[in-house]
Amino acid sequence: MTVPPEPAATGADPDPDLVAESAADPATEPSAAETATAGEPDADPADPAEPDLEGPRRRARREREERRAAQARAMAIEQARREAKRRAQGRTEEKPKQAPRGVIRGLKVLMWTAVLAVVVVGVGLLLYFTPIMSARETVVTGLTALSEDEVRQVAAVAEGTPLLQIDTDAVAERVASIRRVASARVQREYPSTLRITVAERVPVVVKDYPDGPHLFDRDGVDFVTAPPPPGLPYIDTETPGPRDPATLAGLQVLTSLPPEVSGQVSRVEAPSVAAITLVLFDGRKVVWGTTDRTQEKALKLAALLTQPGQTYDVSSPDLPTVK
C-alpha cells in the first residue's frame, strides 16, 4: 500500500494526480461482499426461498392461539379501563345479583303445595264419584226408647252411596225431627261406615191431658204421650211448652236442685215466673218466688229441709224461714 506524500508545510495544495491515484487504489476500497453485507438487510427467515419448517395445521393453530391471546389482552385492557373508571367515580365493583334464599325456598314450597293440591283433588274426585268408600253399614248409638230401624228409616241413607256424597248435616236434621230425639250427630267412618249418635229426650215433668199424660223434657218440649216413670213430678202451668216463661222458670228451679232434694218434689206449681212453689211427696211446701239467685236458694233449701216444719220460704235467701 503506497502512502501519498504529505503536503508541504508551506501551505501549497496537494498534487491532483496523487490524490486521484490514492482514491483509485483498490486496496482502500471495500470488497463486493463487504458492500453487499453492509448495504443489504439480513435475510428473512420466512423468505419463500427458504424451506417452510411448520405445516399448515401448526400454522393455523398458532394463528388461532395468537388471536385468542390478542382477544384476551383486549378484554383485560377493557376490564382495567372500566375498573379505573369506577374507581375514579368512587364506585365499587358490581357483583352479579343472586336470588335470595327465601325466594328459592318460597318457590319450592309453592311447587310442592301445588303438587299436593293436585294429588288431594284427584283423590277427592276418586272417592266422590266412585263406590270405593261407600256407606255399606249404618251404625246407630245412644238409643233407649227408639229402635235402630226407626232411626235408619228417617235418616234415609241409601246403601252404597259414596260417603263424600252424604250430607251429614241434612241427615242429622232428619233424625232430630223425631220427637223423642233431642240431638243427633252423623259422622263418616272410612272406609264404609256411617255412624249416627242420638241423644234422646229425658222426661223431667209430666202433665195430664184428656188423651193421657204428656211427658216434658228440661226444655219444656212435649215429646211423647205415655205413662210417666215412677216419681216423676207434675207441673201445674196454664200453657206448658218451650215458649211459656212460667214453664221454663219452673223447670229451671227443678233442675237446679240437688238430687237428694229434687227426688222429694212431687209437683211444681208455676202460675207465673214470680210465684213458683214446690210441693214435696210428704206434703211440705217450698215457697221459691222468682228465679233470682236460684243456686243460692237451692243450697239454703237443702239445709232447711233438715229442720221440722211444713212451709220453707227461701224467696229471700238472706232470710230463709221455716214454719
Side-chain angles (χ1 to χ4, degrees):
M1 177 177 173
T2 304
V3 178
E6 295 180 359
T10 58
D13 294 334
D15 188 352
D17 294 334
L18 293 176
V19 175
E21 182 180 356
S22 175
D25 190 354
T28 61
E29 294 181 359
S31 63
E34 293 176 354
T35 302
T37 302
E40 294 181 1
D42 294 339
D44 188 0
D47 193 335
E50 296 183 2
D52 189 1
L53 299 180
E54 63 177 354
R57 293 185 179 179
R58 291 186 178 181
R59 186 184 305 109
R61 184 168 59 252
R62 177 176 54 79
E63 292 175 355
R64 286 196 300 270
E65 292 176 356
E66 291 177 355
R67 286 195 297 270
R68 292 195 191 100
Q71 186 177 4
R73 286 194 299 272
M75 292 178 63
I77 294 172
E78 180 65 19
Q79 183 66 23
R81 185 187 65 80
R82 292 180 180 179
E83 182 64 24
K85 184 178 181 180
R86 280 195 294 266
R87 285 197 298 267
Q89 295 178 355
R91 295 183 299 175
T92 58
E93 182 179 0
E94 297 181 358
K95 296 182 178 179
K97 296 183 178 180
Q98 298 180 354
R101 292 184 177 180
V103 174
I104 298 175
R105 188 180 299 110
L107 292 176
K108 290 182 179 179
V109 171
L110 183 61
M111 180 187 67
W112 284 112
T113 302
V115 172
L116 182 61
V118 171
V119 173
V120 170
V121 171
V123 173
L125 293 175
L126 181 65
L127 297 179
Y128 188 86
F129 290 104
T130 63
I132 296 178
M133 293 186 179
S134 59
R136 299 182 180 89
E137 181 182 9
T138 301
V139 177
V140 183
T141 59
L143 299 180
T144 56
L146 294 173
S147 64
E148 294 185 6
D149 291 338
E150 183 178 358
V151 174
R152 291 193 184 98
Q153 184 177 0
V154 175
V157 177
E159 185 177 352
T161 304
L163 291 177
L164 289 179
Q165 293 186 18
I166 298 175
D167 188 347
T168 55
D169 293 336
V171 175
E173 289 180 1
R174 290 196 295 269
V175 174
S177 65
I178 302 174
R179 290 182 62 188
R180 294 193 71 106
V181 175
S183 63
R185 182 183 180 186
V186 179
Q187 298 171 287
R188 304 182 187 93
E189 293 184 354
Y190 297 97
S192 59
T193 302
L194 187 69
R195 179 175 295 274
I196 302 176
T197 304
V198 175
E200 294 186 0
R201 297 186 187 276
V202 178
V204 177
V205 293
V206 60
K207 185 175 177 63
D208 288 329
Y209 284 90
D211 60 344
H214 289 213
L215 305 183
F216 295 80
D217 68 353
R218 63 183 302 142
D219 296 324
V221 177
D222 179 4
F223 64 91
V224 68
T225 301
L232 192 68
Y234 284 79
I235 187 167
D236 290 337
T237 58
E238 294 184 1
T239 55
R243 298 183 179 179
D244 179 40
T247 301
L248 297 179
L251 293 173
Q252 180 182 351
V253 171
L254 183 62
T255 55
S256 68
L257 297 174
E260 64 273 13
V261 177
S262 63
Q264 303 180 44
V265 178
S266 65
R267 186 178 300 273
V268 179
E269 298 177 352
S272 67
V273 295
I276 300 173
T277 302
L278 304 178
V279 180
L280 306 184
F281 282 105
D282 58 6
R284 291 181 294 177
K285 290 186 177 181
V286 178
V287 179
W288 194 275
T290 65
T291 55
D292 295 338
R293 301 169 68 179
T294 296
Q295 296 296 331
E296 187 176 354
K297 291 179 181 180
L299 294 176
K300 294 292 179 67
L301 178 61
L304 288 177
L305 290 178
T306 61
Q307 303 179 15
Q310 289 297 320
T311 303
Y312 301 84
D313 190 344
V314 292
S315 58
S316 177
D318 295 328
L319 296 171
T321 60
V322 179
K323 295 181 182 180

